[in-house]
Amino acid sequence: MSTASIWSKNISFVNGEVALSGIPASQLAAEFGTPTFFLDEDAFRTRAAAWRDGLKAEFGDKAGQVFYASKAFTCTAVAHWISEIGIGIDVATGGELAAALAGGVDPSQIEVHGNNKSLAEIDRAVSIGVHTIVMDSLYEIDRVAAAARKHSKRQAVLIRLTPGIEAHTHESISTAHEDVKFGFSIASGAAWAAVEKIATFPELELRGVHCHIGSQIFGTEAFEMAADRLLGFMAKFRDAYGAELPELDLGGGYGIAYLPHEITVEPADVLPTIGKAVREACAKYSLALPTVSIEPGRNIVGPTMFTLYEVGTVKDVVIEDGTVRKYISVDGGMSDNARTALYDAEYFATIAQRTSSAPTVQSRLVGKHCETGDIIIRDIQLPSDVIPGDLIATPATGAYGRSMASNYNHVPRPPVVAVIDGKARVIVRRETEADLLALDVAKM
Ligand code: LLP
Protein backbone atom coordinates (compact mmCIF):
# COMPACT_ATOMS: atom_id res chain seq x y z
CA MET A 1 0.00 0.00 0.00
CA SER A 2 1.01 3.64 0.17
CA THR A 3 4.54 4.43 1.22
CA ALA A 4 4.36 7.02 3.94
CA SER A 5 8.04 7.85 3.79
CA ILE A 6 10.29 9.71 1.41
CA TRP A 7 13.16 7.45 2.42
CA SER A 8 13.58 4.14 0.65
CA LYS A 9 12.94 0.81 2.29
CA ASN A 10 16.43 0.09 3.66
CA ILE A 11 17.17 3.54 5.05
CA SER A 12 17.49 3.70 8.80
CA PHE A 13 18.80 6.26 11.23
CA VAL A 14 21.76 4.87 13.16
CA ASN A 15 23.12 7.00 16.01
CA GLY A 16 21.77 10.08 14.30
CA GLU A 17 23.18 9.17 10.91
CA VAL A 18 21.29 8.36 7.75
CA ALA A 19 22.27 4.78 6.93
CA LEU A 20 21.52 2.70 3.86
CA SER A 21 21.40 -1.03 4.45
CA GLY A 22 23.16 -0.36 7.72
CA ILE A 23 26.05 1.64 6.21
CA PRO A 24 26.18 5.12 7.74
CA ALA A 25 26.38 8.21 5.55
CA SER A 26 29.81 9.19 6.91
CA GLN A 27 31.20 5.82 5.81
CA LEU A 28 29.54 6.06 2.40
CA ALA A 29 30.97 9.55 1.89
CA ALA A 30 34.45 8.48 3.01
CA GLU A 31 34.47 5.55 0.64
CA PHE A 32 32.76 7.00 -2.44
CA GLY A 33 33.10 10.77 -2.08
CA THR A 34 30.41 13.38 -2.67
CA PRO A 35 28.22 14.19 -4.44
CA THR A 36 27.04 10.65 -5.01
CA PHE A 37 23.71 9.01 -5.78
CA PHE A 38 23.18 6.04 -3.45
CA LEU A 39 20.70 3.49 -4.78
CA ASP A 40 18.78 1.10 -2.53
CA GLU A 41 18.94 -1.93 -4.83
CA ASP A 42 16.52 -4.01 -2.80
CA ALA A 43 13.98 -1.18 -2.95
CA PHE A 44 14.41 -0.92 -6.72
CA ARG A 45 13.88 -4.65 -7.18
CA THR A 46 10.91 -4.64 -4.81
CA ARG A 47 9.22 -1.72 -6.55
CA ALA A 48 9.73 -3.15 -10.04
CA ALA A 49 8.42 -6.55 -8.92
CA ALA A 50 5.41 -4.90 -7.25
CA TRP A 51 4.34 -3.35 -10.57
CA ARG A 52 4.91 -6.67 -12.34
CA ASP A 53 2.86 -8.58 -9.76
CA GLY A 54 0.23 -5.85 -9.51
CA LEU A 55 -0.40 -5.87 -13.25
CA LYS A 56 -0.62 -9.66 -13.23
CA ALA A 57 -3.03 -9.62 -10.27
CA GLU A 58 -5.27 -7.10 -11.99
CA PHE A 59 -5.32 -8.41 -15.54
CA GLY A 60 -4.35 -12.10 -15.20
CA ASP A 61 -3.53 -13.59 -18.59
CA LYS A 62 -4.37 -10.22 -20.13
CA ALA A 63 -1.54 -8.55 -18.21
CA GLY A 64 0.75 -7.17 -20.86
CA GLN A 65 4.19 -6.00 -19.86
CA VAL A 66 5.55 -3.48 -17.38
CA PHE A 67 8.00 -1.54 -19.52
CA TYR A 68 10.34 0.30 -17.16
CA ALA A 69 10.72 3.82 -18.61
CA SER A 70 14.49 3.88 -18.68
CA LYS A 71 14.70 7.64 -19.28
CA ALA A 72 14.09 8.00 -15.52
CA PHE A 73 17.45 6.32 -14.91
CA THR A 74 19.32 3.63 -16.73
CA CYS A 75 22.74 2.03 -16.86
CA THR A 76 24.00 -1.45 -17.65
CA ALA A 77 23.41 -2.77 -14.13
CA VAL A 78 19.86 -1.45 -13.89
CA ALA A 79 19.00 -2.88 -17.30
CA HIS A 80 20.35 -6.21 -16.07
CA TRP A 81 18.15 -6.07 -12.96
CA ILE A 82 15.17 -5.34 -15.21
CA SER A 83 15.86 -8.51 -17.18
CA GLU A 84 16.29 -10.51 -13.96
CA ILE A 85 13.01 -9.19 -12.55
CA GLY A 86 11.37 -10.22 -15.81
CA ILE A 87 9.84 -6.93 -16.86
CA GLY A 88 10.37 -5.05 -20.11
CA ILE A 89 12.05 -1.76 -20.82
CA ASP A 90 10.93 1.39 -22.63
CA VAL A 91 13.71 3.09 -24.55
CA ALA A 92 13.36 6.45 -26.26
CA THR A 93 16.78 6.79 -27.88
CA GLY A 94 19.59 4.73 -29.32
CA GLY A 95 21.57 5.36 -26.14
CA GLU A 96 18.83 3.94 -23.94
CA LEU A 97 18.59 0.99 -26.32
CA ALA A 98 22.34 0.45 -26.05
CA ALA A 99 22.13 0.38 -22.25
CA ALA A 100 19.25 -2.12 -22.38
CA LEU A 101 21.19 -4.42 -24.68
CA ALA A 102 24.39 -4.03 -22.65
CA GLY A 103 22.42 -5.13 -19.58
CA GLY A 104 21.25 -8.25 -21.39
CA VAL A 105 17.60 -7.27 -21.93
CA ASP A 106 16.10 -9.49 -24.60
CA PRO A 107 14.96 -7.41 -27.61
CA SER A 108 11.52 -9.03 -27.31
CA GLN A 109 11.17 -7.12 -24.02
CA ILE A 110 12.01 -3.71 -25.49
CA GLU A 111 9.52 -1.08 -26.55
CA VAL A 112 10.83 1.82 -28.62
CA HIS A 113 9.49 5.34 -28.13
CA GLY A 114 10.44 8.80 -29.35
CA ASN A 115 8.87 11.54 -31.43
CA ASN A 116 11.87 11.81 -33.74
CA LYS A 117 13.58 8.46 -33.95
CA SER A 118 16.53 8.58 -36.32
CA LEU A 119 16.78 6.27 -39.31
CA ALA A 120 19.67 4.52 -37.57
CA GLU A 121 17.62 4.04 -34.39
CA ILE A 122 14.72 2.62 -36.39
CA ASP A 123 16.99 0.34 -38.40
CA ARG A 124 18.63 -1.07 -35.30
CA ALA A 125 15.32 -1.60 -33.49
CA VAL A 126 13.81 -3.45 -36.43
CA SER A 127 16.91 -5.51 -37.12
CA ILE A 128 17.24 -6.82 -33.55
CA GLY A 129 13.51 -7.60 -33.30
CA VAL A 130 12.17 -5.34 -30.57
CA HIS A 131 8.75 -6.02 -29.09
CA THR A 132 7.09 -2.91 -30.52
CA ILE A 133 7.87 0.46 -32.01
CA VAL A 134 5.44 3.17 -31.01
CA MET A 135 4.49 5.31 -34.02
CA ASP A 136 4.64 9.02 -33.43
CA SER A 137 4.35 10.59 -36.89
CA LEU A 138 3.27 9.79 -40.44
CA TYR A 139 6.88 10.02 -41.62
CA GLU A 140 7.84 7.39 -39.14
CA ILE A 141 5.30 4.95 -40.55
CA ASP A 142 7.12 5.08 -43.90
CA ARG A 143 10.49 4.79 -42.21
CA VAL A 144 9.64 1.79 -40.06
CA ALA A 145 7.97 0.07 -43.02
CA ALA A 146 11.10 0.66 -45.13
CA ALA A 147 13.31 -0.81 -42.41
CA ALA A 148 11.01 -3.82 -42.05
CA ARG A 149 11.16 -4.41 -45.82
CA LYS A 150 14.93 -4.12 -45.76
CA HIS A 151 15.22 -6.73 -43.02
CA SER A 152 12.43 -8.90 -44.46
CA LYS A 153 10.44 -8.61 -41.24
CA ARG A 154 6.95 -7.75 -40.17
CA GLN A 155 7.30 -5.15 -37.42
CA ALA A 156 4.78 -4.88 -34.58
CA VAL A 157 3.76 -1.27 -33.95
CA LEU A 158 1.51 0.72 -31.65
CA ILE A 159 0.12 4.17 -32.37
CA ARG A 160 0.72 6.83 -29.74
CA LEU A 161 -2.55 8.64 -29.25
CA THR A 162 -3.18 12.06 -27.80
CA PRO A 163 -6.45 11.66 -25.96
CA GLY A 164 -6.85 15.36 -25.12
CA ILE A 165 -6.55 15.11 -21.36
CA GLU A 166 -5.08 17.72 -19.05
CA ALA A 167 -3.31 15.76 -16.35
CA HIS A 168 -2.76 17.83 -13.24
CA THR A 169 0.99 18.16 -13.19
CA HIS A 170 3.66 20.64 -14.27
CA GLU A 171 3.13 21.90 -17.83
CA SER A 172 6.52 20.66 -19.08
CA ILE A 173 5.74 17.09 -18.06
CA SER A 174 2.08 16.99 -19.08
CA THR A 175 1.86 15.23 -22.43
CA ALA A 176 -1.64 14.32 -23.50
CA HIS A 177 -3.45 17.61 -24.07
CA GLU A 178 -3.84 18.65 -27.71
CA ASP A 179 -1.05 21.22 -28.12
CA VAL A 180 1.94 18.90 -27.80
CA LYS A 181 4.57 17.42 -30.07
CA PHE A 182 3.77 13.84 -29.11
CA GLY A 183 1.52 11.33 -30.78
CA PHE A 184 -1.56 11.64 -32.96
CA SER A 185 -4.63 13.53 -31.83
CA ILE A 186 -7.81 11.47 -31.67
CA ALA A 187 -10.03 14.56 -31.88
CA SER A 188 -8.42 16.05 -34.99
CA GLY A 189 -8.54 12.86 -37.03
CA ALA A 190 -4.75 12.58 -37.16
CA ALA A 191 -4.85 9.28 -35.28
CA TRP A 192 -7.28 7.79 -37.75
CA ALA A 193 -5.09 8.90 -40.65
CA ALA A 194 -2.23 7.01 -38.99
CA VAL A 195 -4.35 3.85 -38.77
CA GLU A 196 -5.23 4.10 -42.44
CA LYS A 197 -1.64 4.67 -43.42
CA ILE A 198 -0.32 1.73 -41.39
CA ALA A 199 -2.98 -0.49 -43.00
CA THR A 200 -1.41 0.14 -46.41
CA PHE A 201 1.86 -1.53 -45.33
CA PRO A 202 1.79 -5.33 -45.11
CA GLU A 203 5.18 -5.21 -43.37
CA LEU A 204 3.63 -3.42 -40.37
CA GLU A 205 1.44 -5.17 -37.83
CA LEU A 206 -0.71 -2.72 -35.89
CA ARG A 207 -0.99 -4.30 -32.45
CA GLY A 208 -2.77 -1.53 -30.59
CA VAL A 209 -2.67 1.94 -29.13
CA HIS A 210 -0.64 3.78 -26.53
CA CYS A 211 -0.87 6.97 -24.56
CA HIS A 212 1.22 8.66 -21.91
CA ILE A 213 -0.74 11.38 -20.20
CA GLY A 214 2.04 12.96 -18.15
CA SER A 215 4.32 12.44 -15.21
CA GLN A 216 4.12 12.79 -11.42
CA ILE A 217 0.38 12.15 -11.45
CA PHE A 218 -1.66 11.33 -8.35
CA GLY A 219 -5.11 9.78 -8.48
CA THR A 220 -6.56 7.71 -11.26
CA GLU A 221 -9.07 10.00 -12.96
CA ALA A 222 -6.83 10.96 -15.89
CA PHE A 223 -5.91 7.31 -16.47
CA GLU A 224 -9.57 6.28 -16.38
CA MET A 225 -10.49 8.93 -18.94
CA ALA A 226 -7.56 7.92 -21.13
CA ALA A 227 -8.60 4.26 -20.99
CA ASP A 228 -12.11 5.17 -22.11
CA ARG A 229 -10.91 7.29 -25.02
CA LEU A 230 -8.36 4.75 -26.19
CA LEU A 231 -10.84 1.90 -26.06
CA GLY A 232 -13.37 4.05 -27.90
CA PHE A 233 -10.75 4.44 -30.60
CA MET A 234 -10.11 0.69 -30.63
CA ALA A 235 -13.85 0.17 -31.14
CA LYS A 236 -13.77 2.48 -34.13
CA PHE A 237 -10.97 0.35 -35.53
CA ARG A 238 -13.01 -2.82 -34.96
CA ASP A 239 -16.00 -1.28 -36.73
CA ALA A 240 -13.91 -0.28 -39.74
CA TYR A 241 -11.62 -3.29 -40.06
CA GLY A 242 -13.68 -6.10 -38.53
CA ALA A 243 -10.92 -7.13 -36.12
CA GLU A 244 -9.99 -6.09 -32.60
CA LEU A 245 -6.60 -4.63 -31.71
CA PRO A 246 -5.01 -6.85 -29.08
CA GLU A 247 -2.86 -4.39 -27.08
CA LEU A 248 -3.45 -1.31 -24.93
CA ASP A 249 -0.54 0.57 -23.34
CA LEU A 250 -1.43 3.24 -20.82
CA GLY A 251 2.06 4.68 -20.34
CA GLY A 252 3.63 5.79 -17.10
CA GLY A 253 3.27 8.81 -14.85
CA TYR A 254 2.61 7.47 -11.33
CA GLY A 255 3.60 10.04 -8.72
CA ILE A 256 6.04 9.76 -5.85
CA ALA A 257 6.61 11.60 -2.59
CA TYR A 258 9.31 14.25 -2.58
CA LEU A 259 8.26 15.94 0.65
CA PRO A 260 7.49 14.33 4.01
CA HIS A 261 3.72 14.95 3.83
CA GLU A 262 3.41 13.44 0.35
CA ILE A 263 2.60 9.80 -0.40
CA THR A 264 4.10 7.66 -3.14
CA VAL A 265 1.59 5.92 -5.38
CA GLU A 266 1.80 2.14 -5.05
CA PRO A 267 0.51 -0.33 -7.66
CA ALA A 268 -2.29 -1.52 -5.37
CA ASP A 269 -3.51 2.08 -4.99
CA VAL A 270 -4.19 2.57 -8.68
CA LEU A 271 -4.25 -0.64 -10.71
CA PRO A 272 -7.62 -1.93 -9.44
CA THR A 273 -9.30 1.37 -10.37
CA ILE A 274 -7.59 1.51 -13.74
CA GLY A 275 -8.49 -2.13 -14.33
CA LYS A 276 -12.12 -1.41 -13.52
CA ALA A 277 -12.16 1.53 -15.94
CA VAL A 278 -10.64 -0.61 -18.69
CA ARG A 279 -13.20 -3.39 -18.15
CA GLU A 280 -16.09 -0.93 -18.07
CA ALA A 281 -14.94 0.68 -21.30
CA CYS A 282 -14.58 -2.76 -22.90
CA ALA A 283 -18.16 -3.53 -21.91
CA LYS A 284 -19.36 -0.14 -23.15
CA TYR A 285 -17.76 -0.65 -26.57
CA SER A 286 -18.36 -4.43 -26.74
CA LEU A 287 -14.66 -5.18 -26.93
CA ALA A 288 -12.79 -8.16 -25.55
CA LEU A 289 -10.24 -7.18 -22.90
CA PRO A 290 -6.95 -6.39 -24.67
CA THR A 291 -3.61 -7.04 -22.99
CA VAL A 292 -2.77 -4.03 -20.84
CA SER A 293 0.78 -2.69 -20.51
CA ILE A 294 2.18 0.20 -18.50
CA GLU A 295 5.44 2.18 -18.41
CA PRO A 296 6.31 3.42 -14.92
CA GLY A 297 9.70 5.09 -14.67
CA ARG A 298 9.80 7.62 -11.84
CA ASN A 299 7.68 5.47 -9.56
CA ILE A 300 10.11 2.54 -9.71
CA VAL A 301 13.44 4.32 -9.40
CA GLY A 302 12.62 7.73 -7.93
CA PRO A 303 12.13 6.67 -4.31
CA THR A 304 15.16 4.36 -4.36
CA MET A 305 18.00 6.90 -4.43
CA PHE A 306 19.23 9.74 -2.31
CA THR A 307 21.97 12.18 -3.16
CA LEU A 308 24.70 12.77 -0.61
CA TYR A 309 26.44 16.15 -0.71
CA GLU A 310 29.02 17.86 1.44
CA VAL A 311 28.51 21.41 2.61
CA GLY A 312 31.28 23.73 1.43
CA THR A 313 30.17 27.18 2.59
CA VAL A 314 27.36 28.70 4.61
CA LYS A 315 26.29 32.32 4.34
CA ASP A 316 23.64 34.36 6.14
CA VAL A 317 22.01 36.76 3.71
CA VAL A 318 19.60 39.49 4.76
CA ILE A 319 16.70 39.37 2.32
CA GLU A 320 14.07 41.96 1.31
CA ASP A 321 11.75 41.44 4.26
CA GLY A 322 14.65 42.03 6.65
CA THR A 323 14.92 38.41 7.68
CA VAL A 324 17.95 36.25 7.24
CA ARG A 325 18.17 33.39 4.81
CA LYS A 326 20.93 30.87 5.30
CA TYR A 327 22.47 29.86 1.99
CA ILE A 328 24.00 26.41 2.31
CA SER A 329 26.24 25.58 -0.64
CA VAL A 330 26.96 21.96 -1.46
CA ASP A 331 29.43 20.35 -3.85
CA GLY A 332 26.84 19.58 -6.58
CA GLY A 333 23.79 21.51 -7.72
CA MET A 334 21.82 22.00 -10.90
CA SER A 335 24.25 19.70 -12.73
CA ASP A 336 23.03 16.71 -10.72
CA ASN A 337 19.52 17.96 -9.97
CA ALA A 338 18.06 20.09 -12.76
CA ARG A 339 14.49 19.50 -11.62
CA THR A 340 14.20 22.44 -9.24
CA ALA A 341 15.39 24.87 -11.90
CA LEU A 342 13.28 23.29 -14.64
CA TYR A 343 10.01 22.40 -12.93
CA ASP A 344 10.06 24.21 -9.57
CA ALA A 345 10.38 20.73 -8.10
CA GLU A 346 10.54 20.50 -4.33
CA TYR A 347 12.85 18.31 -2.31
CA PHE A 348 13.57 17.55 1.31
CA ALA A 349 17.01 17.50 2.90
CA THR A 350 18.56 16.60 6.19
CA ILE A 351 21.97 16.65 7.81
CA ALA A 352 23.11 13.10 7.17
CA GLN A 353 25.98 12.35 9.55
CA ARG A 354 24.73 13.77 12.86
CA THR A 355 21.67 15.00 14.63
CA SER A 356 21.23 18.60 15.62
CA SER A 357 19.09 20.10 18.33
CA ALA A 358 19.75 23.64 17.14
CA PRO A 359 16.65 25.65 16.21
CA THR A 360 15.79 25.57 12.53
CA VAL A 361 16.16 28.64 10.32
CA GLN A 362 14.94 29.51 6.86
CA SER A 363 17.52 28.07 4.53
CA ARG A 364 18.19 27.58 0.86
CA LEU A 365 20.18 24.62 -0.41
CA VAL A 366 22.25 25.72 -3.39
CA GLY A 367 24.95 24.27 -5.59
CA LYS A 368 28.33 25.41 -6.82
CA HIS A 369 27.34 26.64 -10.28
CA CYS A 370 27.67 30.16 -11.59
CA GLU A 371 24.07 31.22 -11.55
CA THR A 372 21.40 32.30 -9.13
CA GLY A 373 18.98 29.62 -10.31
CA ASP A 374 21.37 26.91 -9.15
CA ILE A 375 19.00 25.91 -6.38
CA ILE A 376 18.34 22.41 -5.11
CA ILE A 377 15.81 23.44 -2.44
CA ARG A 378 14.39 26.95 -2.52
CA ASP A 379 12.91 27.02 0.97
CA ILE A 380 13.65 24.62 3.76
CA GLN A 381 13.96 24.82 7.51
CA LEU A 382 17.36 23.42 8.51
CA PRO A 383 19.19 23.57 11.84
CA SER A 384 21.04 26.84 12.38
CA ASP A 385 24.28 25.03 13.12
CA VAL A 386 24.89 23.56 9.64
CA ILE A 387 28.59 24.05 8.96
CA PRO A 388 31.11 23.28 6.22
CA GLY A 389 31.91 19.57 6.24
CA ASP A 390 28.38 18.50 7.18
CA LEU A 391 26.85 15.91 4.88
CA ILE A 392 23.43 16.65 3.41
CA ALA A 393 21.14 13.96 2.04
CA THR A 394 18.28 14.71 -0.36
CA PRO A 395 15.92 11.73 -0.72
CA ALA A 396 13.87 10.70 -3.75
CA THR A 397 16.41 11.77 -6.36
CA GLY A 398 16.44 8.50 -8.31
CA ALA A 399 14.30 9.59 -11.24
CA TYR A 400 15.42 12.25 -13.71
CA GLY A 401 18.34 13.12 -11.45
CA ARG A 402 21.46 11.36 -12.69
CA SER A 403 19.69 10.81 -16.04
CA MET A 404 19.35 14.58 -16.56
CA ALA A 405 22.72 15.45 -15.08
CA SER A 406 24.96 17.76 -17.08
CA ASN A 407 28.57 18.84 -17.15
CA TYR A 408 27.72 22.51 -16.68
CA ASN A 409 30.80 24.42 -15.52
CA HIS A 410 32.82 21.36 -16.53
CA VAL A 411 31.69 19.54 -13.41
CA PRO A 412 32.16 15.76 -13.59
CA ARG A 413 28.86 13.95 -13.10
CA PRO A 414 28.40 12.01 -9.84
CA PRO A 415 28.58 8.23 -9.61
CA VAL A 416 25.75 5.89 -8.73
CA VAL A 417 26.49 3.44 -5.94
CA ALA A 418 24.13 0.50 -5.41
CA VAL A 419 23.79 -0.77 -1.86
CA ILE A 420 22.27 -4.11 -0.93
CA ASP A 421 22.68 -6.48 2.02
CA GLY A 422 25.14 -4.16 3.70
CA LYS A 423 27.43 -4.02 0.65
CA ALA A 424 28.00 -1.02 -1.60
CA ARG A 425 29.31 -1.11 -5.14
CA VAL A 426 29.73 1.46 -7.88
CA ILE A 427 27.41 0.83 -10.85
CA VAL A 428 28.16 4.11 -12.65
CA ARG A 429 31.58 5.51 -11.81
CA ARG A 430 32.29 9.15 -11.12
CA GLU A 431 33.29 11.14 -14.16
CA THR A 432 36.80 12.52 -14.08
CA GLU A 433 38.32 15.65 -15.52
CA ALA A 434 40.05 13.33 -17.97
CA ASP A 435 36.61 12.12 -19.11
CA LEU A 436 35.58 15.71 -19.67
CA LEU A 437 38.66 16.45 -21.74
CA ALA A 438 38.53 13.14 -23.62
CA LEU A 439 36.14 14.57 -26.19
CA ASP A 440 38.27 17.60 -26.94
CA VAL A 441 40.25 17.46 -30.13
CA ALA A 442 43.91 18.28 -29.53
CA LYS A 443 45.11 21.89 -29.64
CA MET A 444 44.66 23.41 -33.06
N1 LLP B 1 6.26 6.52 -21.16
C1 LLP B 1 6.48 7.57 -21.97
C2 LLP B 1 6.10 7.49 -23.36
C3 LLP B 1 7.07 8.72 -21.44
O1 LLP B 1 7.28 9.76 -22.23
C4 LLP B 1 7.44 8.76 -20.08
C5 LLP B 1 8.07 9.94 -19.50
C6 LLP B 1 7.21 7.62 -19.29
C7 LLP B 1 6.60 6.51 -19.86
C8 LLP B 1 7.59 7.55 -17.85
O2 LLP B 1 6.93 8.49 -17.07
P1 LLP B 1 7.09 8.38 -15.47
O3 LLP B 1 6.47 7.09 -15.03
O4 LLP B 1 8.54 8.42 -15.18
O5 LLP B 1 6.37 9.57 -14.94
N2 LLP B 1 12.02 14.95 -16.68
C9 LLP B 1 10.69 15.08 -16.11
C10 LLP B 1 9.81 13.91 -16.48
C11 LLP B 1 9.68 13.70 -17.97
C12 LLP B 1 8.88 12.49 -18.32
C13 LLP B 1 9.01 12.16 -19.75
N3 LLP B 1 8.31 10.99 -20.17
C14 LLP B 1 10.82 15.24 -14.60
O6 LLP B 1 11.93 15.22 -14.10
O7 LLP B 1 9.82 15.40 -13.92
Side-chain angles (χ1 to χ4, degrees), residues 69 71 90 160 173 212 215 253 295 297-298 339 343 400 404:
K71 68 205 78 186
D90 146 10
R160 178 162 178 167
I173 53 175
H212 172 72
S215 199
E295 306 166 339
R298 184 196 313 271
R339 299 193 67 259
Y343 319 115
Y400 308 107
M404 289 173 65

Side-chain angles (χ1 to χ4, degrees), residues 67 69 71-72 90 111 113-114 160 172-173 175 182 210-212 214-217 251-255 258 295-300 339 342-343 347 399-401 404:
F67 292 103
K71 68 205 78 186
D90 146 10
E111 182 189 59
H113 271 292
R160 178 162 178 167
S172 308
I173 53 175
T175 42
F182 298 108
H210 165 276
C211 74
H212 172 72
S215 199
Q216 185 62 357
I217 294 169
Y254 308 98
Y258 285 99
E295 306 166 339
R298 184 196 313 271
N299 191 277
I300 291 178
R339 299 193 67 259
L342 280 176
Y343 319 115
Y347 286 87
Y400 308 107
M404 289 173 65

Side-chain angles (χ1 to χ4, degrees), residues 240-292:
Y241 290 91
E244 295 191 13
L245 292 169
E247 291 182 23
L248 174 68
D249 185 331
L250 292 173
Y254 308 98
I256 67 163
Y258 285 99
L259 299 176
H261 66 272
E262 294 174 334
I263 293 178
T264 293
V265 171
E266 299 298 333
D269 300 332
V270 289
L271 289 177
T273 316
I274 294 173
K276 183 163 172 274
V278 169
R279 285 194 186 80
E280 282 173 7
C282 287
K284 174 172 157 191
Y285 300 113
S286 305
L287 287 167
L289 183 65
T291 64
V292 180

Side-chain angles (χ1 to χ4, degrees), residues 217-229:
I217 294 169
F218 293 91
T220 53
E221 204 187 331
F223 291 103
E224 294 171 68
M225 279 170 65
D228 181 77
R229 294 198 188 164

Side-chain angles (χ1 to χ4, degrees), residues 85 147 153 163 196 216 218 266 270 285 293 299 374-375 385 398 402:
I85 295 159
K153 293 195 171 186
E196 290 181 329
Q216 185 62 357
F218 293 91
E266 299 298 333
V270 289
Y285 300 113
S293 294
N299 191 277
D374 173 27
I375 295 170
D385 64 352
R402 182 60 179 74

Side-chain angles (χ1 to χ4, degrees), residues 107-421:
S108 67
Q109 300 300 312
I110 299 175
E111 182 189 59
V112 180
H113 271 292
N115 69 299
N116 186 14
K117 306 168 187 79
S118 71
L119 293 180
E121 287 169 337
I122 290 171
D123 190 80
R124 188 171 190 201
V126 171
S127 71
I128 63 174
V130 297
H131 181 271
T132 30
I133 303 181
V134 184
M135 296 290 111
D136 202 289
S137 74
L138 292 177
Y139 289 103
E140 194 168 277
I141 295 171
D142 292 309
R143 293 170 186 167
V144 175
R149 262 195 311 281
K150 175 180 156 196
H151 294 287
S152 306
K153 293 195 171 186
R154 187 149 192 254
Q155 178 61 52
V157 299
L158 299 182
I159 301 179
R160 178 162 178 167
L161 299 180
T162 312
I165 292 167
E166 306 270 349
H168 295 289
T169 186
H170 190 281
E171 189 190 346
S172 308
I173 53 175
S174 171
T175 42
H177 48 292
E178 290 292 333
D179 190 2
V180 287
K181 68 172 182 171
F182 298 108
F184 296 95
S185 153
I186 300 178
S188 75
W192 194 249
V195 166
E196 290 181 329
K197 180 158 187 173
I198 290 171
T200 66
F201 290 105
E203 50 280 80
L204 298 181
E205 181 193 2
L206 180 59
R207 304 270 314 161
V209 293
H210 165 276
C211 74
H212 172 72
I213 53 177
S215 199
Q216 185 62 357
I217 294 169
F218 293 91
T220 53
E221 204 187 331
F223 291 103
E224 294 171 68
M225 279 170 65
D228 181 77
R229 294 198 188 164
L230 265 60
L231 284 155
F233 189 83
M234 290 166 90
K236 182 174 174 186
F237 180 92
R238 185 260 333 270
D239 294 345
Y241 290 91
E244 295 191 13
L245 292 169
E247 291 182 23
L248 174 68
D249 185 331
L250 292 173
Y254 308 98
I256 67 163
Y258 285 99
L259 299 176
H261 66 272
E262 294 174 334
I263 293 178
T264 293
V265 171
E266 299 298 333
D269 300 332
V270 289
L271 289 177
T273 316
I274 294 173
K276 183 163 172 274
V278 169
R279 285 194 186 80
E280 282 173 7
C282 287
K284 174 172 157 191
Y285 300 113
S286 305
L287 287 167
L289 183 65
T291 64
V292 180
S293 294
I294 53 172
E295 306 166 339
R298 184 196 313 271
N299 191 277
I300 291 178
V301 72
T304 71
M305 288 194 221
F306 72 91
T307 311
L308 194 61
Y309 300 103
E310 185 178 312
V311 176
T313 67
V314 176
K315 194 185 278 180
D316 286 339
V317 175
V318 180
I319 59 174
E320 280 134 35
D321 64 4
T323 62
V324 171
R325 191 196 311 283
K326 192 178 280 297
Y327 275 81
I328 301 168
S329 297
V330 295
D331 47 1
M334 65 193 300
S335 54
D336 58 74
N337 187 345
R339 299 193 67 259
T340 305
L342 280 176
Y343 319 115
D344 299 321
E346 295 182 286
Y347 286 87
F348 176 75
T350 185
I351 304 176
Q353 92 293 3
R354 66 178 175 96
T355 50
S356 168
S357 50
T360 62
V361 290
Q362 68 173 338
S363 308
R364 180 166 287 176
L365 192 69
V366 297
K368 61 181 284 150
H369 295 280
C370 303
E371 56 184 281
T372 307
D374 173 27
I375 295 170
I376 300 167
I377 304 177
R378 181 169 292 278
D379 289 304
I380 183 166
Q381 289 286 325
L382 283 172
S384 60
D385 64 352
V386 172
I387 49 166
D390 273 335
L391 299 175
I392 299 280
T394 53
T397 55
Y400 308 107
R402 182 60 179 74
S403 77
M404 289 173 65
S406 77
N407 291 124
Y408 183 35
N409 289 135
H410 258 39
V411 166
R413 288 173 297 173
V416 180
V417 174
V419 182
I420 189 165
D421 296 335

